[in-house]
Structures are given as structure tokens and as C-alpha cells.
Amino acid sequence: MISKLTSVIAGILLLGLGLPCEAQNGECKSICKEIRQEILQDVSVCLPSAQVHPIPKVFKACIDGRKKAFDQACVPTCTSSKKEFSSFEGCKSVVHKNHGPKFVDWCRKGFESMIDAVESALVDHHTESRELKQQADVVDNEVEIRETERSVESDVELDEQDADNLILHAESSEDSSVA
């Protein structure tokens, strides 16, 4: 129930921040590839499993659950697809590899924690991207203003030169008419 509520809230946040519902799969795959390594590095949820015997296998079950959740959830969450993610389905292979409830429990803990982490990471990525775009827009506007100022300055210089030329021409016309 909490996972469904979190998914709904994250979906609203993603939509509210302007992440397009119909975002291209290719764009979302690129975003997911970009954030995958960073998000999978956080294994804090799985650290308590390192105290459960057999230690490496239980810890690996938790890590595998996180990887499976990321792979299943990132692109659909990015595209705001209405898909539900089940830790039971995601951890089926762990059940087949390792018999015993502790393996499945830790896989499911890792899986469920990753669903929330993916939603949060996508919101953060989108916010960061939007901030970078706004900064780029500000720089573009500043460049445009400078170019406009330079153009106006050169127009003023040309107008002053034209005025000087007219004065010289008028003076030379007066000089030739006096002579």
C-alpha cells in the first residue's frame, strides 16, 4: 500500500515538474543509464543483511533485488507509465536460486527500497536538468543583450561618422561656393 501511495505521489511530482508523460523511451533510457551507477552505489538498505548468514549470499540477494527494481522501474517511471512493480515478481529468480525466506525477504527489501529511490532520483534529475536549462537561458539572454548593445553602439558610431561626413561635405561645399 505504501509503495502504491509513493508511486502516485512521485507520479504527481514528476508531472508537476514538467516531466512529459509521453517522454521518448530513448530519452528515458538515456536518463536511466546516466543515473544507474550512482543510485546503485547506495547499498545502505542492504547493510544489515551483511549480518545474516550465509553473509555474502543474503547481501547479494538484497543487491540483486535493488538491481532488478531499477531495471524494471526506471524507464516506466520516467515515462509516467501506469505500471505497478511487485517485489514478489522481481525476486522470483532469487526464490529459484536460494531456497529460504531470508533470501526472498532481503531481495524484496532491496527491491522495494529501490522503487522509491528511482522515483526520487528521477525527480532530482529533472529538477537539476531544469535548473541547468534555466542557467543556460540566462547566459543566452546575457549574450543576446551584449550583442544588441554592441549593435546599437556601432550604429551610434556610424551615425556620428555620417554626421561628421555631412558637416565636412557641407563645409567643403561652402568653401567651394565662396571661392
Side-chain angles (χ1 to χ4, degrees):
M1 179 65 181
I2 292 175
S3 182
K4 287 182 185 178
L5 179 61
T6 306
S7 295
V8 169
I9 291 170
I12 290 169
L13 286 173
L14 290 172
L15 289 172
L17 290 174
L19 193 64
C21 290
E22 55 282 331
Q24 299 286 333
N25 269 351
E27 181 183 346
C28 284
K29 284 179 183 177
S30 174
I31 291 169
C32 290
K33 184 177 180 182
E34 186 179 319
I35 67 172
R36 187 175 203 277
Q37 187 65 31
E38 182 181 335
I39 199 169
L40 288 175
Q41 286 178 347
D42 180 14
V43 295
S44 59
V45 170
C46 297
L47 288 179
S49 70
Q51 304 299 319
V52 180
H53 290 284
I55 290 173
K57 288 183 178 180
V58 176
F59 183 75
K60 185 173 180 331
C62 184
I63 298 298
D64 287 348
R66 290 180 58 78
K67 288 178 182 176
K68 288 180 184 302
F70 183 88
D71 293 341
Q72 286 181 18
C74 192
V75 172
T77 302
C78 177
T79 59
S80 298
S81 297
K82 296 186 188 236
K83 183 175 180 183
E84 299 214 10
F85 309 103
S86 165
S87 61
F88 178 76
E89 290 295 319
C91 292
K92 272 185 179 180
S93 64
V94 172
V95 173
H96 295 299
K97 280 187 206 174
N98 304 302
H99 300 288
K102 60 186 163 191
F103 294 104
V104 176
D105 288 346
W106 279 105
C107 179
R108 291 181 77 181
K109 284 179 185 175
F111 188 98
E112 289 168 2
S113 71
M114 182 54 77
I115 298 297
D116 295 337
V118 164
E119 292 166 349
S120 177
L122 287 170
V123 169
D124 291 347
H125 181 273
H126 179 67
T127 302
E128 183 179 301
S129 295
R130 189 170 64 188
E131 288 171 357
L132 289 174
K133 185 182 179 312
Q134 288 172 343
Q135 289 173 354
D137 289 346
V138 166
V139 169
D140 287 346
N141 287 340
E142 289 175 359
V143 167
E144 191 174 310
I145 289 169
R146 285 190 198 120
E147 288 174 355
T148 303
E149 287 173 348
R150 285 186 192 131
S151 175
V152 168
E153 287 173 2
S154 67
D155 287 348
V156 168
E157 287 176 12
L158 288 176
D159 288 343
E160 288 175 359
Q161 287 176 353
D162 288 344
D164 289 343
N165 288 338
L166 285 173
I167 291 170
L168 288 175
H169 182 67
E171 287 175 354
S172 66
S173 296
E174 286 178 11
D175 288 343
S176 46
S177 64
V178 172

